[in-house]
Amino acid sequence: MQPIWVVAGTRPEIVKLAPVLHSLRRTMVCPIHWISTGQHTDLAEQALASFAIEPDIRLSLERSVPASGESADSVSGVLGRLIQNIDALIVRENPAMVVVQGDTTSTIAASLAAFGHRIPIAHVEAGLRTFDLSKPFPEEAWRTIVGQIADLHLAPTERAASNIIALGVPADRVLVTGNTVIDALRWLATHHPDKSSPEPKRRTVLVTLHRRENWGAPFENVCRALLMLAQNMPDIDICFIAHANPKLRALAEEALGGQERIEILPPLDYVSFIHRMRKATLILSDSGGVQEEAPAFGIPALILRDSTERPEAVEAGVAQLVGIGTMAIYDAASKLLRDEEAYRRMARVTNPFGDGTAGDQIAAAIQAFIANGRPSRSAAA
């Protein structure tokens, strides 16, 4: 019996595909294989353990590292090696379907490899768009391409679904399921309750910053805004969660290290990060996932980007786009921290991203798709 593949290589993919894996294994009789691409290492392994997942197949993504210790791999170089690795595995296993999520390099690699072999593709979290290929880079390009070649589009919201249908995709291939991150948060609450970490002594501003388009001057702008907040608001602590990229971590240490009431933490495992988030007063981040997670906890989020592919949280009034200018960030954060009424308006537990049943809906859609047969393709073999 041909297996169904669930392919993931980064922590965000693991978080959002874990509910799909668990639902597929509960409801389907065919083998469900988790394929780990090796795109990320430590953070991916921690996330897999958090969701009790042991990959069926682990691929190796060896990286060339020059004497300086800085990775010499380009985005396209990593993509090429991932496609080669996944393609060879497809030849060996011949899966019935490949399930991918979002917009990572693992997602586009698995989709292109599957498409080349006429293997059906199910795209979880389909339809997100900023309509600007440079923001976020390269993610907007990757998800746009997958949106052209996927067979089953599993959209988190009505807006995302409409983006897919506008491309000419038949409506019966598009399903609004909600976002599986809500399923994941509920699973963690049951399996990893927070029993030990103390309540913060002061109000806490939690910060993450990692997007490629925010490297360089934007990163420095954010750090300047954080220094201003710490200097002008003595009743807050700032917790900066550093990225795994050693260059970004070094920049954060250089700009913020040794400052009173600013703590720089190494990358946290997902469970620890979620526990930190739940106890934060305010979140500043350029992360897509944080825009979905923060509203579930009623934590206002300031989005450190000029545009977002998740406008639903902004429209619901629980998140705000502030860009990457120093004063814009400082003004928006200080207003929420000083104006109780403005803060209360944003600090609402609401979630436009789903009800926690996305994993089961996706599993049912995949089961129906497999039962109805593969679609025909016009592309040559």
Side-chain angles (χ1 to χ4, degrees), residues 36 74 88 97 134 136 183 219 255 268 272 292 364:
S36 180
S74 64
M97 172 174 269
S134 67
D183 305 42
F219 192 95
L268 300 178
S272 298
E292 300 156 349

mmCIF file of all heavy atoms in Angstrom, residues 36 74 88 97 134 136 183 219 255 268 272 292 364:
data_model
loop_
_atom_site.group_PDB
_atom_site.id
_atom_site.type_symbol
_atom_site.label_atom_id
_atom_site.label_comp_id
_atom_site.label_asym_id
_atom_site.label_seq_id
_atom_site.Cartn_x
_atom_site.Cartn_y
_atom_site.Cartn_z
ATOM 1 N N SER A 36 11.470 13.902 7.434
ATOM 2 C CA SER A 36 12.205 15.052 7.968
ATOM 3 C C SER A 36 13.311 15.415 6.985
ATOM 4 O O SER A 36 14.188 14.592 6.692
ATOM 5 C CB SER A 36 12.805 14.698 9.334
ATOM 6 O OG SER A 36 13.507 15.792 9.869
ATOM 7 N N SER A 74 23.621 29.184 -0.422
ATOM 8 C CA SER A 74 22.633 30.150 -0.892
ATOM 9 C C SER A 74 21.249 29.537 -0.764
ATOM 10 O O SER A 74 21.090 28.326 -0.578
ATOM 11 C CB SER A 74 22.909 30.504 -2.348
ATOM 12 O OG SER A 74 22.734 29.361 -3.164
ATOM 13 N N ALA A 88 15.011 11.479 -5.002
ATOM 14 C CA ALA A 88 15.534 10.107 -4.900
ATOM 15 C C ALA A 88 14.642 9.253 -4.005
ATOM 16 O O ALA A 88 14.418 8.065 -4.277
ATOM 17 C CB ALA A 88 16.964 10.137 -4.353
ATOM 18 N N MET A 97 0.531 10.513 -1.999
ATOM 19 C CA MET A 97 0.340 11.958 -1.895
ATOM 20 C C MET A 97 1.448 12.530 -1.032
ATOM 21 O O MET A 97 1.960 11.846 -0.136
ATOM 22 C CB MET A 97 -1.029 12.301 -1.298
ATOM 23 C CG MET A 97 -1.233 13.782 -0.973
ATOM 24 S SD MET A 97 -2.922 14.175 -0.445
ATOM 25 C CE MET A 97 -3.650 14.587 -2.043
ATOM 26 N N SER A 134 9.248 40.205 -2.607
ATOM 27 C CA SER A 134 10.410 40.500 -1.766
ATOM 28 C C SER A 134 10.079 40.479 -0.277
ATOM 29 O O SER A 134 10.986 40.564 0.556
ATOM 30 C CB SER A 134 10.994 41.869 -2.128
ATOM 31 O OG SER A 134 10.090 42.916 -1.780
ATOM 32 N N PRO A 136 7.509 38.373 2.482
ATOM 33 C CA PRO A 136 8.822 37.941 2.968
ATOM 34 C C PRO A 136 9.581 37.199 1.869
ATOM 35 O O PRO A 136 8.964 36.576 0.999
ATOM 36 C CB PRO A 136 8.486 37.002 4.121
ATOM 37 C CG PRO A 136 7.168 36.418 3.732
ATOM 38 C CD PRO A 136 6.425 37.510 3.001
ATOM 39 N N ASP A 183 -4.886 23.978 16.744
ATOM 40 C CA ASP A 183 -4.868 22.579 17.191
ATOM 41 C C ASP A 183 -3.604 22.294 17.996
ATOM 42 O O ASP A 183 -3.647 21.633 19.040
ATOM 43 C CB ASP A 183 -4.876 21.630 15.985
ATOM 44 C CG ASP A 183 -6.009 21.852 15.009
ATOM 45 O OD1 ASP A 183 -6.322 23.010 14.694
ATOM 46 O OD2 ASP A 183 -6.559 20.850 14.524
ATOM 47 N N PHE A 219 17.083 45.762 11.527
ATOM 48 C CA PHE A 219 17.419 45.114 12.796
ATOM 49 C C PHE A 219 17.942 46.152 13.790
ATOM 50 O O PHE A 219 17.560 46.169 14.967
ATOM 51 C CB PHE A 219 18.462 44.023 12.545
ATOM 52 C CG PHE A 219 18.694 43.094 13.703
ATOM 53 C CD1 PHE A 219 18.019 41.886 13.790
ATOM 54 C CD2 PHE A 219 19.583 43.424 14.716
ATOM 55 C CE1 PHE A 219 18.222 41.025 14.858
ATOM 56 C CE2 PHE A 219 19.798 42.569 15.786
ATOM 57 C CZ PHE A 219 19.119 41.368 15.857
ATOM 58 N N ALA A 255 24.139 45.011 20.306
ATOM 59 C CA ALA A 255 23.259 46.170 20.452
ATOM 60 C C ALA A 255 22.581 46.234 21.816
ATOM 61 O O ALA A 255 22.349 47.327 22.347
ATOM 62 C CB ALA A 255 22.195 46.145 19.355
ATOM 63 N N LEU A 268 14.593 29.240 21.960
ATOM 64 C CA LEU A 268 13.879 28.372 22.888
ATOM 65 C C LEU A 268 13.172 27.250 22.139
ATOM 66 O O LEU A 268 12.749 27.429 20.989
ATOM 67 C CB LEU A 268 12.831 29.174 23.660
ATOM 68 C CG LEU A 268 13.331 30.341 24.525
ATOM 69 C CD1 LEU A 268 12.136 31.043 25.167
ATOM 70 C CD2 LEU A 268 14.304 29.860 25.581
ATOM 71 N N SER A 272 8.705 25.913 25.563
ATOM 72 C CA SER A 272 9.189 27.007 26.419
ATOM 73 C C SER A 272 8.811 28.359 25.844
ATOM 74 O O SER A 272 8.460 29.288 26.586
ATOM 75 C CB SER A 272 10.711 26.911 26.575
ATOM 76 O OG SER A 272 11.081 25.706 27.206
ATOM 77 N N GLU A 292 -0.491 34.516 14.669
ATOM 78 C CA GLU A 292 -1.599 33.585 14.868
ATOM 79 C C GLU A 292 -1.710 33.148 16.324
ATOM 80 O O GLU A 292 -2.817 32.942 16.838
ATOM 81 C CB GLU A 292 -1.396 32.353 13.981
ATOM 82 C CG GLU A 292 -1.336 32.661 12.518
ATOM 83 C CD GLU A 292 -0.586 31.601 11.711
ATOM 84 O OE1 GLU A 292 0.075 30.725 12.323
ATOM 85 O OE2 GLU A 292 -0.659 31.656 10.478
ATOM 86 N N ALA A 364 -9.702 14.459 6.731
ATOM 87 C CA ALA A 364 -10.896 14.024 6.007
ATOM 88 C C ALA A 364 -10.818 14.424 4.541
ATOM 89 O O ALA A 364 -11.205 13.649 3.646
ATOM 90 C CB ALA A 364 -12.142 14.621 6.661
#
